[in-house]
Each structure stands twice: as C-alpha cells, then as structure tokens.
Amino acid sequence: MTTIKDIAAKTNLSISTVSIVLNNRASRIPKSTRDIVINAAKELNYRPNQLAVGLVTKRTKTLGLIVPDIRNNFFSSLAKGIEDEARNNGWTVLLCNSNDSHKRDLEYIKMLEGKGVDGILYSMSSDSNLKNFKEKYSLIKNFDIKFLMIDRYLDFPATFPKINVVSLDHFKGGYLAAKHLIDLGHKKIACVTGPQYLSESNDRLRGYKQALDDGSIEYDEELIVEGNYHIESGVSAVNKLIEKDFTAIFAFNDMMAYGVLKGLKTYNLSIPHDISVIGYDDIYLSEILEVPLTTIHQPIEVMGRGAAKHFINIIDSKEEFLDNLPLYSPELIVRKSTSKPNKRLLNKRTQVI
Amino acid sequence: MTTIKDIAAKTNLSISTVSIVLNNRASRIPKSTRDIVINAAKELNYRPNQLAVGLVTKRTKTLGLIVPDIRNNFFSSLAKGIEDEARNNGWTVLLCNSNDSHKRDLEYIKMLEGKGVDGILYSMSSDSNLKNFKEKYSLIKNFDIKFLMIDRYLDFPATFPKINVVSLDHFKGGYLAAKHLIDLGHKKIACVTGPQYLSESNDRLRGYKQALDDGSIEYDEELIVEGNYHIESGVSAVNKLIEKDFTAIFAFNDMMAYGVLKGLKTYNLSIPHDISVIGYDDIYLSEILEVPLTTIHQPIEVMGRGAAKHFINIIDSKEEFLDNLPLYSPELIVRKSTSKPNKRLLNKRTQVI
DNA sequence: TTGAAAGCGATACCAC
DNA sequence: GTGGTATCGCTTTCAA
C-alpha cells in the first residue's frame, strides 16, 4: 500500500505539502509542484487510508443503515436507493438487520458508533414503542451521531425533540386506497393494519377514515384487524374477518395482501368477484400475480435516494436540521384485484359459513 | 467519547496496562488491577474506536459485500444470511450494488480497500467475463484483501489460480429439475438458461443433460434459449420457443419462470395442462402464485451464513484457503405447475400456431 | 507487573 | 509556498 509518505519521498516534498495538494487546499501551491504531486500519486496508485483520515477528521463518509429485514422488498428497494445515492457522493453504507428487535437496534447503534459512522439511517423495528425508542434516541444523541428516520417512525408526542424524518405521505395513501374502493361502491371495507404504534400505519388508517367520512360511511371498528406486515398476518386476518360483513379488504402492505389473497382462497372466495383486495407498497411482484394486485405505489427507491441526499446534506452542513425535508407522494395503481361489490354473493357467503 | 486515556487517568494506570487488560492479553496482570480497569471501562461506557484499532492492527472486522442488485430476492436473502452471521461474530458488512457492471465492481473494490475491509464477498456481475474478471482479481490480490466468491462465478480455466468459492450444487439442481420432468413422462424439455458464461447456469445445463442422458433422451439444442435471469427474458423465451415442439419448460430461475408463465398465457396455454413449467430459486412468491410453481429450492440464507462463517475463519486463520469449503444442496419442491405431458394438446397447439 | 515511547497514515496549525 | 510537528486513539515492543 502506498502512503502519503511514499509520495513525499518520491517527490522530495514534505508530507504536509502532499497532503495539501491531494486535498485540494492547494490555492497557494503553484501548479508546477501540484502536478508533480498528482502525477506521483497516480503513478504510485495512491489511495488514502480512510481509517487514518477518519481518525483525524472525525468523518468517515460512512452511513449506518438499520432496517428490520433486508429480505423485505420494501427495505431492499430502500437500501438500493440509499446506497446508490451514497455511492454517487463517495459515501458508503453499513448494512444492519434489526430483525425487528429493539435490543438489536441498540447493539447496532453502539457498534456503528465504534465504527465511526457519521450518521445512522433508521427504519424502526416493529417492536419499538415510545419508551424503548427514547432509549435508542438518547444513545444516539449521546454519541453525537446524526440521525434520520425513514418512513417508519412513531407518533411522537408534541413534547418530543424534533427529529429528521423522511417519509411517504401515508395519510394520502390510506385515503387513496379507501377512496378507490368507495368509488367502486364498497361500503364495508375491512382493514388489515400495521402495528398500531407505528405512525405510518396510523396515518393510513386516518386517511381511510377520512375517505369514509367524505363518503358518509360510518367507521366500523369491527372491520379493523391489526397485522404485522408479514404475509402470515394477512392469512390470519382473513380468518378473523371471515364471519364479518364486508366486501373489500384494504391491506396495509402488499405482503399482507398476498396473505389475504391466500386466505381468501381457502374459503373459495374469488377476487375481485367476491371480495376486492387492495394492497400497499406496489412490490414488483404484485404486478405478476394471478390477479394483479391493485395497490398503492410508493416511490421507495426514489425516497431512499432522497433520504440519503438530504442526510448527507445535513451531515455536511453540520446543521441538525435542514429545510425541504422531502415528503413523497404515493399513487393509486389500479389493477385487477378490485371491482364493484357483489352483493348477492356476499350474502351467500355469510349464510354459508 | 471516552477513550483508553480516560480510563488510564481515572485508574491511575498507564495506557498500556489498560490496553492489555481490555484486550485480554492480561495473563500477567493480577486480577485486582484487571477488575479496576474493567470496572472503570464499564463505568465510563468505554467502546474502542475501531478506526484507531484498525489503523494499527490492519484489521477492521469489516466485510465488503458486492452483489449485482440487493432488490433481487436472491441477493437480499444472501445478504441477510451473511450479515446475520457476521454480526454474530462481531463483524460488520458494507453493502455494494454493482448493478451488474464490471466498472462498478472495480470502483467498489478500490473503495473497499480504502475503507480497510478485511475481505470481499463477491457475487459476480453478469457482464463479467474471464478477461475483465482477471482485472478485478489482480486488483484484489494486489491489495492483499481476502476474497471469496459466492455462487455466481465463472468457469475458470484450469490454469487459473485457486479461488474460494461457496456455492450451491447447481449441477444437482439442474439434474433434479430435469429428472422430475422426465419422470413425469416429458421428453421434449425446453430450457431458459442464464447468461452463458456464468458457471452456475452451465452447471444446471450440465445437470439437465445428464438427466436426459440417464433417461436416454436425446439432447436438442433447438430447445435451449439463453435468458438473463430477468422476468422479461422468460417472456421472450416463450416467443422464441413457441413454434418448437416441447411439453415442458425448465427456467433457470423463478423470475424467468414467471415470465414464462406470463408468456404462455398470451398463447392461451394453460399450466400444467398444456405445458409444465419448473423454476429455480423458490422465491417466497412462487408458493402463492395462481399456479404454485414447482421449483428448485435453494438454501440461500443458510449459504450466506455458511459463506460468512467460512470466510471469517479464513481471515482469522490467515490462510489463503481452508478445507471444507461448503457446497449446498438444492432440493426439488413439487407444486402445481408440472404434470404429465399432454400429447394431444401439444399437437393441436403446434398446428394452430 | 507496569509504563514509556514508537508508530499506524493521515490532517492541520504554525513557523520559516 | 513549503515544511516541521503535534495529534487522532489505539497496539505493541521494550525497559524498568
């Protein structure tokens, strides 16, 4: 490995001069010596040792990314966007899978601090609540590491310190989904929500309620089932709902919608003829399902890019917060899993079961 | 941030002593002082600065992971396994997406070297060939970074230096898939392969040929179409094959199998009645498709774990190679997309089109 | 059993 | 304009 020292030796200049040139603080250095240094660096194939740089500058151009599970397409798309943008700016990303565990979040935060990351991008583990979130938060503040939450966060009380959050407009997403079903004529719309303390889930639910309200439909708590964003909870939601009176299901993510599809199948219900199903996320697989899933598309990768960009700006600016925090808009994608309600069949079903 | 110096100050011991204790080279240090140090460390919430450690030890306990695209479920499962195992051993993973570009592979390798990673886990970008692979390889060797390839690699000529490769037994996978179809009675089995220079694809093809051979079926090159592992190439493969005489299609990954399904649909062919389809990968979605896909399951995450484990062992041992290089066995998962061939319909189809 | 000092590879301040 | 030197936080001889 060639070091700055080697260049100094080769060029008969001091390491200070070499360092200055290589970092472009070379205003006062004449072009002639500059060229000498640069050529020598090129010739010796010099690449700075980032450990050494980080040690003295306290900056590593490294981001820690904590997501619940990278196998989830949502997070892998997010990670892709983040990593792409980071790389374009010469930054690097450490991948962490929390497995939705608060305890592991904590471990990762400590580990990332040890590695000297400049910032942590955090997507909340689903067993987070306000209490244990405070624990993480104070740890991070303690470390003086910049912090940005992506999409999954809590409904923070008004007293809570300001936090950087880059997110999708889930209220709008929830509204769009419910509105679509209502426009088709549905009045009994079941929901499979996310974990109740996640703000995104609550936002979607608020959007759903707003749409009901706008359509003069009464909100029926009986039709709301809490899920956990995994496919199985879509299946079990169907089992819980099956005896209730409904013509459509709004699953708060596509994975659960797949589960709903699967569950409905076990009752010999066909989609959308018997039941309309709408998802949320627009995972790329949703398009190629048997019944292509109507869903809410989210510009996940774009958001990842935007979040990384914004975060890097924050870190570079040394501010705690920057204006223009991006908020990304979801979009309704109508495919084949939703249609007008079928009243007759609904009655038949409720009688039969 | 508390440093080793703070501990030294607090305990009235020297930095050296503190360092020795904290690194468990403490044989000669009496338990009494040891406890003092350890308690002080705990009290001050000490965590070593890994940049400093790395700078002197030349070891960072950091792995670089280069995959084509983390959004691909195969790679996200792989990454999950690797990261899990790494973390369990106190290691950390830098995520890199090559976008299947050799040029980016090169950039990443340089960047990772700068970051001081101890090893690079590499899954080949699909525009790799022997020539440009050599370029990467010599770069890495130059850097004296340990190197392990996962699953995607080339058919190296015998003269090529030995390389660490952790992989699935794709020959077996190809064999299992073809054998299954042959056992059902198929004799005209089309293939949609992966890129031809990837050894995994060739291995599957060899397995397929072996199965044909064992079943005394002649190999027909006309039935082999090269794909690129993306869904669209499954669709276009169908278009290329449609006038040929075949009763089954073996797609070399599930994504292409989805494409095949989609393509077959456009010809009004039903699965498995008209054509049997078998995939490869067993993506979680394959189970919940309209026609659940018969496929070859691969223990991807397990392989990721095993690869990380093996690699860490190599790095720790300071050997170039270790025995017991793992080879993981794929497994046939029979679902609904394969059945006995339907001769009559086949004839009808070839006449009609 | 403990401590002093050198050194890892870079930056940055302050002289010259 | 250029160079000397302290420093970042830690490990590692080598003395004491």
Side-chain angles (χ1 to χ4, degrees):
Chain A
M1 226 195 81
T2 122
T3 74
I4 206 174
K5 233 185 218 165
D6 301 327
I7 300 180
K10 185 178 167 114
T11 58
N12 279 322
L13 288 163
S14 73
I15 53 171
S16 328
T17 308
V18 174
S19 173
I20 289 171
V21 171
L22 259 23
N23 286 291
N24 261 328
R25 307 205 200 307
S27 45
R28 56 267 187 85
I29 309 275
K31 186 159 187 330
S32 54
T33 53
R34 232 154 74 199
D35 286 346
I36 294 175
V37 171
I38 289 169
N39 285 332
K42 208 166 279 172
E43 214 168 303
L44 295 176
N45 218 338
Y46 171 74
R47 220 159 306 107
N49 179 326
Q50 300 298 344
L51 296 174
V53 174
L55 186 56
V56 21
T57 60
K58 308 286 175 214
R59 298 275 264 84
T60 53
K61 288 193 143 203
T62 301
L63 261 22
L65 171 63
I66 306 179
V67 294
D69 188 341
I70 192 72
R71 289 173 303 180
N72 178 323
N73 291 86
F74 181 87
F75 294 117
S76 60
S77 291
L78 190 66
K80 180 64 164 51
I82 290 168
E83 201 275 319
D84 267 1
E85 183 66 29
R87 179 190 151 281
N88 282 338
N89 291 275
W91 288 63
T92 242
V93 176
L94 278 166
L95 176 65
C96 308
N97 293 286
S98 72
N99 281 9
D100 271 323
S101 145
H102 167 63
K103 192 163 144 277
R104 270 179 72 159
D105 278 344
L106 246 30
E107 289 171 18
Y108 274 127
I109 291 168
K110 290 175 189 164
M111 187 208 77
L112 290 172
E113 191 253 352
K115 296 278 176 182
V117 299
D118 295 329
I120 294 179
L121 288 156
Y122 177 58
S123 218
M124 185 118 56
S125 59
S126 68
D127 80 338
S128 294
N129 53 40
L130 191 59
K131 177 152 168 282
N132 63 26
F133 178 75
K134 275 181 181 162
E135 199 180 345
K136 305 179 232 221
Y137 181 73
S138 70
L139 198 59
I140 290 172
K141 283 293 119 180
N142 230 7
F143 289 157
D144 192 36
I145 295 177
K146 291 283 191 296
F147 183 55
L148 184 143
M149 300 190 70
I150 310 184
D151 203 58
R152 285 196 172 189
Y153 54 101
L154 294 166
D155 275 328
F156 299 110
T159 55
F160 206 83
K162 192 175 164 189
I163 286 182
N164 283 304
V165 177
V166 167
S167 170
L168 290 148
D169 188 344
H170 295 292
F171 175 83
K172 183 174 173 188
Y175 187 88
L176 286 175
K179 182 77 166 31
H180 169 65
L181 293 170
I182 291 167
D183 286 350
L184 286 171
H186 294 272
K187 295 199 184 314
K188 306 280 190 183
I189 303 171
C191 279
V192 189
T193 73
Q196 52 150 327
Y197 33 77
L198 291 186
S199 72
E200 47 160 283
S201 177
N202 289 331
D203 286 347
R204 291 174 202 177
L205 194 60
R206 284 194 303 109
Y208 162 87
K209 284 180 185 169
Q210 182 68 52
L212 290 187
D213 213 48
D214 290 0
S216 306
I217 299 172
E218 210 176 331
Y219 172 67
D220 178 2
E221 195 158 345
E222 288 277 299
L223 294 179
I224 311 298
V225 177
E226 184 179 336
N228 63 7
Y229 287 145
H230 294 287
I231 197 165
E232 299 76 22
S233 77
V235 179
S236 61
V238 168
N239 292 333
K240 278 178 207 152
L241 287 167
I242 196 67
E243 301 197 348
K244 305 267 163 63
D245 186 22
F246 65 94
T247 60
I249 299 184
F250 170 22
F252 278 25
N253 79 349
D254 281 2
M255 294 299 284
M256 294 195 298
Y258 300 164
V260 165
L261 260 28
K262 201 172 168 181
L264 255 18
K265 234 184 209 171
T266 64
Y267 291 95
N268 271 322
L269 262 14
S270 95
I271 295 104
H273 186 261
D274 301 340
I275 302 283
S276 285
V277 175
I278 185 167
Y280 201 110
D281 275 354
D282 194 23
I283 288 174
Y284 68 100
L285 295 171
S286 300
E287 197 179 347
I288 60 169
L289 289 177
E290 165 183 13
V291 182
L293 190 69
T294 295
T295 188
I296 302 293
H297 176 81
Q298 309 186 91
I300 304 173
E301 205 185 327
V302 173
M303 177 173 70
R305 291 196 130 78
K309 184 87 194 148
H310 187 77
F311 198 34
I312 289 173
N313 284 341
I314 286 179
I315 294 170
D316 281 341
S317 75
K318 285 165 187 167
E319 302 290 322
E320 272 307 301
F321 304 99
L322 243 39
D323 290 342
N324 303 323
L325 204 65
L327 178 67
Y328 294 90
S329 264
E331 193 185 334
L332 174 68
I333 307 286
V334 179
R335 289 199 274 252
K336 303 288 185 191
S337 66
T338 49
S339 68
K340 288 184 198 160
N342 183 327
K343 290 272 166 52
R344 255 212 351 255
L345 259 157
L346 175 67
N347 294 332
K348 208 163 128 208
R349 169 172 69 86
T350 46
Q351 280 162 16
V352 167
I353 293 165
Chain B
M1 224 194 82
T2 122
T3 74
I4 207 174
K5 232 186 219 163
D6 300 328
I7 300 180
K10 184 176 168 115
T11 57
N12 278 322
L13 289 164
S14 76
I15 305 187
S16 333
T17 308
V18 173
S19 172
I20 289 171
V21 171
L22 260 22
N23 286 293
N24 261 329
R25 308 205 197 309
S27 46
R28 58 266 188 87
I29 308 277
K31 184 156 187 336
S32 54
T33 51
R34 232 154 77 199
D35 286 347
I36 294 174
V37 171
I38 289 170
N39 285 331
K42 209 166 278 172
E43 213 170 304
L44 295 176
N45 217 338
Y46 172 73
R47 220 159 308 104
N49 179 328
Q50 300 298 343
L51 296 173
V53 174
L55 186 56
V56 21
T57 61
K58 307 287 176 216
R59 298 275 263 86
T60 53
K61 289 192 142 204
T62 301
L63 261 23
L65 171 64
I66 306 179
V67 294
D69 188 341
I70 192 71
R71 289 174 304 180
N72 178 322
N73 291 82
F74 181 88
F75 294 117
S76 60
S77 291
L78 190 66
K80 180 63 163 50
I82 289 169
E83 201 275 320
D84 267 1
E85 183 66 30
R87 177 190 152 282
N88 283 337
N89 292 275
W91 287 63
T92 243
V93 176
L94 279 166
L95 176 65
C96 308
N97 293 286
S98 72
N99 281 10
D100 271 323
S101 146
H102 167 64
K103 194 163 143 276
R104 270 178 72 160
D105 279 344
L106 246 30
E107 289 171 19
Y108 274 126
I109 291 168
K110 289 176 189 165
M111 187 207 77
L112 291 172
E113 191 253 352
K115 296 278 175 181
V117 300
D118 296 329
I120 293 178
L121 288 155
Y122 178 58
S123 217
M124 186 119 56
S125 58
S126 67
D127 80 338
S128 294
N129 53 40
L130 191 59
K131 178 152 167 280
N132 63 26
F133 178 76
K134 275 181 181 162
E135 199 179 345
K136 305 178 233 220
Y137 181 74
S138 69
L139 199 58
I140 289 171
K141 284 292 120 181
N142 228 9
F143 289 157
D144 192 36
I145 294 177
K146 292 282 190 296
F147 183 55
L148 183 142
M149 300 190 70
I150 310 184
D151 202 58
R152 285 196 173 188
Y153 54 102
L154 295 166
D155 274 327
F156 299 110
T159 55
F160 206 83
K162 192 175 164 189
I163 286 182
N164 283 304
V165 177
V166 167
S167 170
L168 289 149
D169 189 344
H170 296 292
F171 175 83
K172 182 173 173 188
Y175 186 89
L176 287 175
K179 182 78 166 31
H180 168 65
L181 294 170
I182 291 166
D183 286 348
L184 285 170
H186 293 273
K187 294 196 184 314
K188 306 281 189 182
I189 304 171
C191 278
V192 190
T193 73
Q196 52 149 325
Y197 33 76
L198 291 186
S199 71
E200 47 160 281
S201 176
N202 288 331
D203 287 347
R204 291 174 202 176
L205 193 60
R206 283 195 303 109
Y208 161 87
K209 285 180 185 168
Q210 181 68 51
L212 290 188
D213 213 46
D214 290 359
S216 305
I217 299 171
E218 209 176 331
Y219 172 68
D220 178 1
E221 195 158 348
E222 289 276 299
L223 294 179
I224 311 298
V225 177
E226 184 179 337
N228 63 7
Y229 287 145
H230 294 286
I231 195 164
E232 298 76 23
S233 76
V235 179
S236 61
V238 169
N239 293 332
K240 278 178 208 152
L241 286 167
I242 197 65
E243 301 198 349
K244 305 267 164 61
D245 185 22
F246 64 94
T247 60
I249 299 183
F250 171 22
F252 279 24
N253 78 350
D254 280 2
M255 293 303 285
M256 293 195 299
Y258 300 163
V260 166
L261 260 27
K262 204 171 168 182
L264 255 17
K265 235 183 208 174
T266 65
Y267 289 96
N268 272 322
L269 260 13
S270 95
I271 294 102
H273 187 260
D274 302 340
I275 302 284
S276 286
V277 175
I278 186 167
Y280 202 110
D281 275 353
D282 195 23
I283 289 176
Y284 65 95
L285 228 221
S286 301
E287 194 180 345
I288 60 171
L289 288 178
E290 169 181 14
V291 183
L293 189 70
T294 295
T295 188
I296 302 293
H297 177 83
Q298 309 185 93
I300 303 173
E301 204 185 327
V302 173
M303 177 173 70
R305 291 195 129 77
K309 183 88 195 149
H310 187 77
F311 198 33
I312 288 173
N313 285 341
I314 287 178
I315 294 170
D316 281 342
S317 75
K318 286 166 186 163
E319 302 289 323
E320 273 308 300
F321 304 99
L322 245 37
D323 290 343
N324 303 322
L325 205 66
L327 180 67
Y328 294 90
S329 264
E331 192 185 335
L332 174 69
I333 307 284
V334 179
R335 289 200 272 253
K336 304 287 185 192
S337 66
T338 50
S339 68
K340 288 184 200 163
N342 182 326
K343 290 274 166 52
R344 257 215 344 261
L345 260 157
L346 176 67
N347 293 335
K348 207 163 128 209
R349 169 172 69 85
T350 46
Q351 282 163 13
V352 167
I353 293 164

